[in-house]
Amino acid sequence: MTEPFIVRRETQIAAPRATVFAYLTDPEKILSWMGSEATTELHPGGLYLLKGVGPRAAAARGAFREVVPVHRLAYTFGWEGGQEVPPGSSLIEIDLIERDGGTLLRMTHSGLPNAEQVAAHAKGWAHYLERLTSAAAGSDPGPDRGVSAKT
C-alpha cells in the first residue's frame, strides 16, 4: 500500500551527477536556483537550512540523514513556524542516476500531513526542479521570485 501524502518527481538533467550533487549541497550553488540564504552541514545529523524568497520568505529546516556523494541525499524537512509541516517532520530523498549522458534526478518527499500540503509542495517542487535542471546544465534560471510569482 502506498502512503497517500507523498510528492514524487523525476527530471533529466544535462549534467554529470557530480555537478547536480554540487547544486544540491553547495550553498553558493543552491542560491543560483533557490532561496536567499542556505546552510548545509553534509553529514548525518548535519543542518539543512534554506531561507526562501517572496512574500512568505519562510525558512526550511531539517537534518541530513544520508549523504552519499554524487549518488544520494536524504534529509528531514519542514518550515520554521509551520504548524502543518514543522521542521524535521517530513523527509526528502534524492537519488542521482547516470542516464542518457546526464543525470536522472529522482525525488521523493514523504511525511506530508494532508492533500493540501502535497499539492502545495508539488507546486514548489515543479518550480524548483525546473530551475535546478536549468542551473545545473549551465543556464541561468534568473532570479528566484518564489513559487507564487509563477503562473
Side-chain angles (χ1 to χ4, degrees), residues 27 34-36 65 93 124 129:
M34 176 170 61
S36 62
R65 286 196 180 168
E93 297 171 276
L129 288 178

Side-chain angles (χ1 to χ4, degrees), residues 1-2 5 11-12 23 25 39-40 46 51 54 64-65 67 71 73 83 93 97 105-106 110 120-121 124 133 139 147:
M1 184 170 171
T2 304
F5 302 127
T11 187
Q12 180 69 27
Y23 274 87
T25 57
T39 302
T40 57
K51 184 175 180 189
F64 285 96
R65 286 196 180 168
V67 179
H71 294 284
L73 288 173
Q83 297 299 308
E93 297 171 276
I97 302 152
L105 180 147
R106 185 173 289 149
S110 60
H121 284 86
T133 298
S139 296
V147 176

Side-chain angles (χ1 to χ4, degrees), residues 33-87:
W33 62 277
M34 176 170 61
S36 62
E37 290 179 39
T39 302
T40 57
E41 297 171 352
L42 295 177
H43 57 84
L47 177 68
Y48 173 89
L49 178 65
L50 180 71
K51 184 175 180 189
V53 297
R56 192 165 163 232
R61 178 183 292 271
F64 285 96
R65 286 196 180 168
E66 290 180 71
V67 179
V68 183
V70 310
H71 294 284
R72 180 172 169 79
L73 288 173
Y75 54 94
T76 62
F77 178 91
W79 300 100
E80 289 185 345
Q83 297 299 308
E84 289 191 275
V85 186

